[in-house]
């Protein structure tokens, strides 16, 4: 939701920076790794009940730059195109007794920074990040639940399913390239999980999740929806779920995790522009 033009923009409080080390690495599928982090800075992690909690990674472009580092100080001496970059990742789970947290990374070749870092991560490697943010919690009073997303949303969907009460009912629609990308998910028996195979890499022509949501047999009662993924797909699903189906904004967690053809820096910058807004400004 955007603020009125006459209202001054508020500055969000700065979230704490922390550096944690890799404690374990697990292959979830050919395209996903789950990495466990821990260390002294775990005590700086301000956990919340949100199941879509996320952190902002700070990834150096130069491997010689190792955490911890002060981004503000680096800005004084380093060219902008050489500074560490921010990347947003969902926290799968937090273990306060063990003082560890887990994050899931998609592996898609040599492109980008986060994927290659995760693919080569070794025990003892350090990662710097801030956070967490996040708002969504499954409502046990909802009559049914709808969860939908592409690969980028799987970690949050997985966490949401695990947090639901045993008697929860509904549907989880998850789009991936093919069957090799499916996860073993823990969910209440009443949640029907459907894996959607688009047959290759995501593109506006190959994605099928929008139509799958529209084809879903609609249940009676109040639905709580968690729908996250590619930006233009989310715009189309906002029009369907909010405008056509009439889901109240309070029951609809819907946002873009990424945008086709955009690097994350451009994607994040466009959030302030009409192209990057899921809900029209008038709403």
């Amino acid at each position: 939701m955007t603020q009125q033009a006459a209202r001054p923009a508020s500055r969000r409080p700065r979230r704490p920076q922390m550096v944690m080390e890799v404690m374990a690495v697990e292959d979830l599928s050919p395209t996903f790794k789950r990495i466990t982090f821990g260390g002294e800075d775990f005590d700086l992690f301000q956990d919340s009940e949100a199941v879509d909690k996320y952190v902002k990674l700070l990834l150096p472009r130069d491997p010689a730059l190792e955490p911890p580092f002060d981004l503000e100080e680096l800005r004084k001496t380093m060219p902008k195109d050489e500074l560490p970059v921010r990347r947003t990742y969902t926290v799968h789970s937090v273990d306060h007794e063990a003082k560890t947290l887990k994050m899931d990374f998609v592996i898609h070749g040599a492109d980008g920074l986060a994927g290659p870092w995760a693919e080569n991560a070794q025990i003892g490697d350090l990662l710097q990040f801030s956070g967490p943010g996040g708002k969504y919690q499954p409502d046990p009073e909802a009559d049914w639940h709808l969860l939908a997303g592409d690969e980028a949303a799987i970690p949050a969907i997985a966490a949401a399913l695990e947090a639901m009460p045993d008697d929860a009912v509904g549907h989880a629609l998850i789009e991936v390239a093919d069957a090799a990308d499916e996860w073993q998910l823990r969910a209440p028996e009443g949640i029907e999980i459907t894996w959607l195979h688009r047959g290759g890499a995501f593109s506006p022509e190959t994605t099928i999740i929008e139509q799958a949501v529209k084809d879903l047999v609609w249940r009676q009662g109040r639905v709580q929806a968690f729908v996250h993924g590619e930006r233009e797909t989310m715009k189309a699903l906002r029009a369907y779920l909010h405008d056509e189906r009439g889901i109240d904004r309070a029951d609809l967690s819907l946002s873009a995790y990424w945008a086709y053809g955009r690097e994350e820096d451009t994607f994040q910058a466009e959030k302030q522009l009409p192209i990057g807004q899921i809900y029209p400004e008038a709403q």
Side-chain angles (χ1 to χ4, degrees):
M1 180 181 294
T2 58
Q3 294 178 327
Q4 298 296 325
R7 188 179 300 171
S10 60
R11 179 179 290 273
R12 294 181 179 178
R14 181 176 294 181
R15 296 190 176 103
Q17 294 273 325
M18 62 209 79
V19 177
M20 293 196 197
E21 64 178 291
V22 175
M23 310 296 287
V25 180
E26 175 187 0
D27 290 320
L28 296 178
S29 77
T31 54
F32 267 97
K33 285 184 182 290
R34 177 167 293 163
I35 300 182
T36 302
F37 296 91
E40 293 182 2
D41 278 7
F42 178 87
D43 291 331
L44 299 176
F45 187 80
Q46 299 174 0
D47 199 9
S48 71
E49 295 297 320
V51 298
D52 64 336
K53 62 175 74 71
Y54 61 86
V55 295
K56 296 285 186 178
L57 312 185
L58 271 177
L59 297 162
R61 302 174 196 261
D62 182 357
L65 180 62
E66 295 185 355
F69 48 79
D70 188 325
L71 185 60
E72 296 304 318
E73 289 299 316
L74 292 178
R75 286 195 174 108
K76 298 176 182 178
T77 59
M78 187 175 289
K80 184 177 179 180
D81 60 358
E82 295 179 11
L83 288 169
V85 298
R86 296 185 189 275
R87 294 293 183 262
T88 306
Y89 273 79
T90 299
V91 176
H92 172 267
S93 58
V94 181
D95 187 330
H96 290 275
E97 184 174 342
K99 292 194 172 184
T100 59
L101 59 85
K102 296 180 180 182
M103 283 187 267
D104 299 329
F105 293 79
V106 63
I107 307 300
H108 42 66
D111 294 337
L113 288 173
W117 182 90
E119 186 170 17
N120 297 301
Q122 303 291 322
I123 292 175
D125 287 353
L126 300 177
L127 183 66
Q128 185 164 333
F129 55 90
S130 63
K135 295 180 179 180
Y136 169 77
Q137 292 177 264
D139 182 358
E141 301 300 319
D143 294 305
W144 63 285
H145 299 266
L146 170 62
L147 303 100
D150 54 34
E151 289 94 334
I154 297 178
I157 290 175
L161 291 172
E162 292 182 17
M164 287 185 177
D166 292 339
D167 60 353
V169 298
H171 303 271
L173 306 176
I174 307 171
E175 178 184 298
V176 293
D178 53 45
D181 292 322
E182 296 183 12
W183 293 20
Q184 291 294 325
L185 298 176
R186 288 188 294 158
E189 290 186 6
I191 302 291
E192 181 181 347
I193 300 174
T194 302
W195 292 94
L196 307 168
H197 302 156
R198 61 175 174 263
F202 180 99
S203 75
E205 294 73 34
T206 59
T207 181
I208 54 178
I209 193 162
E210 176 190 344
Q211 192 59 50
V213 172
K214 292 179 177 179
D215 289 343
L216 191 67
V217 176
W218 210 252
R219 294 172 180 250
Q220 298 297 313
R222 181 172 72 88
V223 58
Q224 184 190 32
F226 180 86
V227 183
H228 293 241
E230 195 278 328
R231 186 172 65 197
E232 295 306 309
T233 306
M234 294 303 101
K235 289 180 182 179
L237 286 174
R238 184 271 306 160
Y240 174 67
L241 295 171
H242 179 65
D243 301 350
E244 186 173 335
R245 283 292 181 181
I247 300 179
D248 188 271
R249 287 286 295 272
D251 288 328
L252 180 56
S253 175
L254 189 150
S255 69
Y257 278 165
W258 65 289
Y260 181 73
R262 300 288 200 275
E263 292 187 354
E264 178 154 339
D265 294 337
T266 302
F267 164 69
Q268 294 291 346
E270 288 179 343
K271 286 185 175 181
Q272 307 304 317
L273 304 173
I275 191 175
Q277 295 167 3
I278 302 301
Y279 287 90
E281 187 172 353
Q283 298 186 24

